[in-house]
Amino acid sequence: MKPSLAVFILAVAAQWFVPLFGVWQQEQVIAKGVVVKIRCGAPDPYDPLRGRFLSVRPEQRSVPAPPALSSARMVPVWATLVAGADGISQIDVLSLEPIAGPNVIRLRAYRTRWGDQTELAAVEWPFDRFYLNERLAPDADRLLATRLRSEKPPIAEIRLLDGRAVLTDVLLDGVSIREIVKQQAK
């Protein structure tokens, strides 16, 4: 076989392998991951290139900073999530070194000072979009807009596996937003 043909075949195989491996990793997290729920806000933007999605923003955006956390740039950190009595999880501990456990998530963070000069870590979650059917998205947006002003915020349901996280659902009063919007459409 000619070297140029071998390079071509290798390039074609890599173009298929890389995205399929990413999909496989996400499916592994969904199938084998631990379910964790966190409070969030979820306004609905529209992006002409990516379509309709709910922008999911976890409420917890800062935690006490580990001593060696950089203030110059975002760095990878590992966080342990602990569920409260209501089943909603929050970040308990941040670590600059990889840690193991079923409720560990990899985040990005940097050191910052807040009003009273408290040293905190500003965290960036590994997800920010929840995609749903294009026809359901406008109704879901209206529903979330009314719920954001209420006392019960939306809950993001995520699955964790080996530090990786996949956003699997947005819940309103414990019910999937997909199901609520489908029922209202009938």
Side-chain angles (χ1 to χ4, degrees):
M1 190 165 18
K2 294 182 181 179
S4 60
L5 182 59
V7 170
F8 174 74
I9 290 172
L10 186 62
V12 169
Q15 287 179 344
W16 280 94
F17 177 75
V18 171
L20 289 176
F21 182 71
V23 169
W24 178 80
Q25 277 187 319
Q26 283 213 331
E27 291 299 321
Q28 290 298 306
V29 173
I30 291 169
K32 298 177 182 175
V34 174
V35 177
V36 176
K37 297 176 182 177
I38 56 175
R39 277 193 184 85
C40 67
D44 182 34
Y46 175 74
D47 185 329
L49 298 177
R50 291 180 281 201
R52 286 243 177 233
F53 58 89
L54 299 176
S55 179
V56 176
R57 296 185 181 104
E59 279 186 354
Q60 190 175 19
R61 308 292 285 173
S62 61
V63 294
L69 185 63
S70 170
S71 61
R73 61 187 172 88
M74 285 275 206
V75 295
V77 294
W78 286 261
T80 302
L81 299 177
V82 175
D86 58 359
I88 306 301
S89 295
Q90 294 223 2
I91 297 172
D92 183 41
V93 177
L94 275 187
S95 171
L96 294 170
E97 299 298 320
I99 52 179
N103 291 345
V104 172
I105 185 171
R106 186 172 181 210
L107 305 170
R108 291 171 31 97
Y110 66 94
R111 179 182 298 278
T112 187
R113 289 184 189 261
W114 293 69
D116 61 353
Q117 300 301 317
T118 304
E119 294 275 327
L120 294 174
V123 297
E124 180 181 280
W125 294 80
F127 51 83
D128 61 353
R129 293 181 196 99
F130 179 66
Y131 290 93
L132 65 161
N133 185 303
E134 290 278 330
R135 289 172 287 184
L136 300 178
D139 294 334
D141 176 36
R142 284 188 287 280
L143 182 61
L144 279 177
T146 60
R147 293 294 179 100
L148 284 173
R149 290 180 229 122
S150 75
E151 295 173 6
K152 290 188 175 182
I155 302 295
E157 184 180 270
I158 60 176
R159 292 197 182 249
L160 301 175
L161 181 65
D162 300 329
R164 294 188 315 263
V166 174
L167 176 61
T168 55
D169 210 346
V170 174
L171 307 173
L172 301 174
D173 296 327
V175 181
S176 171
I177 192 161
R178 288 183 186 123
E179 296 303 317
I180 294 171
V181 175
K182 284 179 187 176
Q183 290 298 322
Q184 289 180 350
K186 288 183 180 181

